[in-house]
Amino acid sequence: MKSLLLILLIALNGLAHGACLTRGTGDMGIIVERADGSVLVVDTSAHKVLFRVEGLGDLSHASAVFSRDERYAYVFGRDGGLSKIDILCGTLDKRVIQGGNSIGGAISQDGKLIAVSNYVPGGVKVFSAADLSLIADIPATATAKGKGSKTVGLVDTSGQRFVFALYDTGEIWILDMKQPDKPALTKFTNIGRLPYDGLITPDGRYYISGLFGEDGLALLDLWHPEKRIRRILDHYGKGKKQLPVYKMPHLEGWAVAGNQTFLPAVGHHEVLVVNTSDWKESGRIAVHGQPIFVIARPDGRQLWVNFAFPDNDTIQVIDSETLKIIKTLKPGKGTLHMEFTPRGEEVWISVRDKDEIQIYDTENLTLKTRFKATKPSGIFFTNRAHQTGL
Amino acid sequence: MIRVDLTILVAITLAICHTASASAEPASSRQAELMYLLKHDCGSCHGMRLEGGLGPALNPQQLQPLSIETLSMTILHGRPGTPMPPWKPFLSQEEAWWLASQLKQGIQP
């Protein structure tokens, strides 16, 4: 009966275009169609596309965050567009062009502020989550060429703070927005050359920035910012001759299992195992190619890894206990992104060159179902709304 | 004086190279593959519309000071010390030249 009603509802919705759904959004999400500037609104229980929302501009590398009521998705586009989507109505609620070229964003602890980091002109802008009006504009340090440094790895943390790194000038900044009209900055300089991304632990305590220009990672303990930046994993990137990198790895979605965490090696066909109690490397797992995303199933038992060009047709699954590869999957060329359902019984994978989304059962590691999407890239489910740093 | 002569020399060499490579233009099916590569794989750093990302914008204004030859060298060998990787394992000299000339002309892959 229930499912019948649901089907009826979806059917009705399809007919009466523009009508809003009346339902919870906890099993919903969005999928970015990067080439068409559109997103699909999906139902993760029914494996269904509910809406297609168009007109979002250049969505290569686009990412998204959700409002804390899980009704709105904020999509950060490459062309500097910031779009607010109503996923119950399948409509573009509001869209502003906030900068020249953006890379990602974050939502504040209280859900009221959206911060966006920009490549050109470099810096961070903060907007009202309600109406996308500008609240603060934080320009980045100027480079030798006179342009603002590119800002990368923007995340949120507790206390209405945002943290990000400056690529060209090698800095990490904490932006405190407790008083929205008085943004306060704490700057850490000389953190290392060319930080290209950053991540924060799920508790919001440690911010870690990957460095392209040298070995190691920069670690900031946000409980103790007075301790400044610590260099960890000095061998990260060292050792064998470094291979060229055809796609920058993402330090996102902290993959933790117990007191171990897993990071994509830069320029090596390896996943690094790091002990979070002392931030020392405790192992390396040889994998199929240069890893891009290393993400843990929500229970921490498995790691799913995708790879850079030319190995981006493959996914490998690692047992986090034995550190052994338990499965190699070939979803197809352009396997760009993976997202677990909130409790991890499924993982959704976007396969760009096949124009499809594949859904795998994470218990038996087999393909469950698939559906069409045009050049899909990022997949974002609403449970991100309640996770720091996502 | 020497400098002027050199510039002319370079210009002539480039012109010759250009005609030479024009005859070795990639087949049209390969051209389509190269455009796809440009859009999606170069695009992951330079922006899918080549308007810039971690790597700089690759439009005619931005590339104006650089010759096709320099650009194809950059594409083939990368820029050591920066994220720009060498594409030599995947692209022939002719293909890099073709891509570079497309970039100089201005394309929207």
Side-chain angles (χ1 to χ4, degrees):
Chain A
M1 187 60 200
K2 241 192 216 156
S3 59
L4 203 75
L5 256 174
L6 194 75
I7 291 164
L8 203 73
L9 214 91
I10 292 164
L12 272 176
N13 178 65
L15 289 174
H17 191 80
C20 300
L21 302 173
T22 313
R23 56 169 285 167
T25 58
D27 58 351
M28 288 172 66
I30 63 164
I31 295 169
V32 172
E33 294 183 311
R34 73 203 293 254
D36 283 10
S38 50
V39 305
L40 301 176
V41 177
V42 293
D43 178 327
T44 58
S45 302
H47 297 157
K48 272 223 154 66
V49 174
L50 301 172
F51 301 107
R52 186 161 198 263
V53 187
E54 298 179 337
L56 278 73
D58 183 350
L59 293 182
S60 59
H61 234 282
S63 63
V65 298
F66 288 94
S67 62
R68 64 196 274 164
D69 63 3
E70 298 186 3
R71 173 161 185 176
Y72 299 98
Y74 299 89
V75 182
F76 310 100
R78 234 319 157 50
D79 56 359
L82 166 60
S83 307
K84 181 179 181 184
I85 292 167
D86 181 338
I87 62 168
L88 278 181
C89 301
T91 50
L92 182 56
D93 199 63
K94 178 107 191 187
R95 173 172 159 81
V96 294
I97 297 291
Q98 57 78 35
N101 193 325
S102 67
I103 176 66
I107 187 162
S108 63
Q109 187 174 32
D110 69 358
K112 292 193 174 131
L113 304 173
I114 303 287
V116 189
S117 73
N118 285 304
Y119 276 153
V120 184
V124 167
K125 285 186 183 166
V126 184
F127 297 87
S128 152
D131 61 4
L132 305 188
S133 58
L134 184 67
I135 289 181
D137 186 355
I138 316 290
T141 310
T143 65
K145 288 181 192 158
K147 291 188 279 190
S149 170
K150 298 182 184 80
T151 46
V152 298
L154 171 68
V155 299
D156 61 285
T157 187
S158 59
Q160 291 292 95
R161 290 175 300 169
F162 296 103
V163 190
F164 54 93
L166 282 70
Y167 172 81
D168 302 280
T169 52
E171 300 174 63
I172 291 177
W173 288 8
I174 303 174
L175 167 61
D176 187 325
M177 290 297 295
K178 264 191 272 313
Q179 289 177 273
D181 55 336
K182 285 202 197 87
L185 285 170
T186 310
K187 301 180 183 178
F188 303 90
T189 52
N190 292 319
I191 65 137
R193 279 191 63 229
L194 304 180
Y196 62 88
D197 201 1
L199 62 76
I200 195 153
T201 47
D203 57 7
R205 175 166 178 180
Y206 296 102
Y207 182 79
I208 293 174
S209 189
L211 303 172
F212 194 88
E214 53 190 287
D215 297 319
L217 298 156
L219 173 82
L220 175 61
D221 181 350
L222 292 156
W223 287 11
H224 295 288
E226 75 283 358
K227 290 187 180 161
R228 320 291 297 178
I229 305 292
R230 208 173 110 194
R231 183 65 64 87
I232 57 164
L233 296 177
D234 264 339
H235 297 289
Y236 190 67
K238 265 203 199 125
K240 290 170 279 178
K241 195 171 175 287
Q242 195 148 7
L243 303 166
V245 177
Y246 290 96
K247 188 176 158 95
M248 300 304 283
H250 282 275
L251 299 177
E252 187 208 287
W254 190 245
V256 201
N259 62 351
Q260 288 190 317
T261 190
F262 301 85
L263 294 170
V266 184
H268 292 292
H269 295 187
E270 285 169 346
V271 169
L272 300 190
V273 190
V274 180
N275 190 321
T276 47
S277 50
D278 58 5
W279 299 107
K280 294 243 157 67
E281 183 181 316
S282 59
R284 286 176 185 223
I285 307 163
V287 289
H288 175 72
Q290 291 183 8
I292 294 289
F293 283 105
V294 176
I295 59 170
R297 198 171 70 174
D299 67 352
R301 185 64 202 276
Q302 293 171 357
L303 304 164
W304 288 60
V305 186
N306 72 341
F307 302 99
F309 174 90
D311 298 311
N312 64 7
D313 60 343
T314 303
I315 294 256
Q316 287 189 313
V317 187
I318 299 167
D319 181 322
S320 64
E321 204 172 42
T322 63
L323 307 184
K324 294 262 177 325
I325 291 165
I326 51 174
K327 188 93 179 181
T328 298
L329 299 164
K330 295 273 176 194
K333 262 194 181 172
T335 293
L336 296 183
H337 202 251
M338 305 168 279
E339 179 88 334
F340 288 99
T341 46
R343 296 194 182 191
E345 80 289 355
E346 283 176 358
V347 63
W348 290 39
I349 295 175
S350 50
V351 190
R352 183 190 66 204
D353 292 12
K354 282 190 180 164
D355 291 305
E356 69 183 23
I357 299 296
Q358 299 181 3
I359 303 174
Y360 287 81
D361 183 321
T362 64
E363 195 68 38
N364 59 23
L365 310 176
T366 54
L367 181 68
K368 223 164 149 176
T369 182
R370 59 174 96 198
F371 63 86
K372 285 284 154 201
T374 312
K375 299 278 169 287
S377 60
I379 308 175
F380 306 92
F381 293 159
T382 52
N383 59 303
R384 288 175 171 251
H386 302 144
Q387 286 168 274
T388 297
L390 294 184
Chain B
M1 267 322 266
I2 290 168
R3 181 174 263 164
V4 173
D5 286 347
L6 258 180
T7 323
I8 293 168
L9 206 74
V10 169
I12 293 169
T13 324
L14 280 181
I16 295 168
C17 287
H18 189 74
T19 15
S21 73
S23 56
E25 210 169 67
S28 67
S29 61
R30 181 61 181 157
Q31 285 185 12
E33 277 173 25
L34 292 173
M35 289 308 262
Y36 193 85
L37 178 89
L38 192 60
K39 180 170 183 162
H40 293 287
D41 296 299
C42 312
S44 77
C45 285
H46 291 280
M48 208 166 56
R49 293 179 190 165
L50 306 180
E51 283 155 356
L54 194 70
L58 300 177
N59 54 42
Q61 301 92 280
Q62 168 85 20
L63 301 178
Q64 202 268 326
L66 305 170
S67 66
I68 294 184
E69 179 153 43
T70 310
L71 290 177
S72 39
M73 291 299 271
T74 300
I75 295 170
L76 286 173
H77 302 290
R79 289 250 173 94
T82 81
M84 176 61 190
W87 290 85
K88 221 171 116 200
F90 312 104
L91 298 174
S92 70
Q93 231 149 345
E94 290 74 30
E95 289 167 347
W97 186 280
W98 184 79
L99 273 176
S101 50
Q102 295 298 306
L103 291 173
K104 284 289 268 187
Q105 279 170 31
I107 33 155
Q108 272 279 317

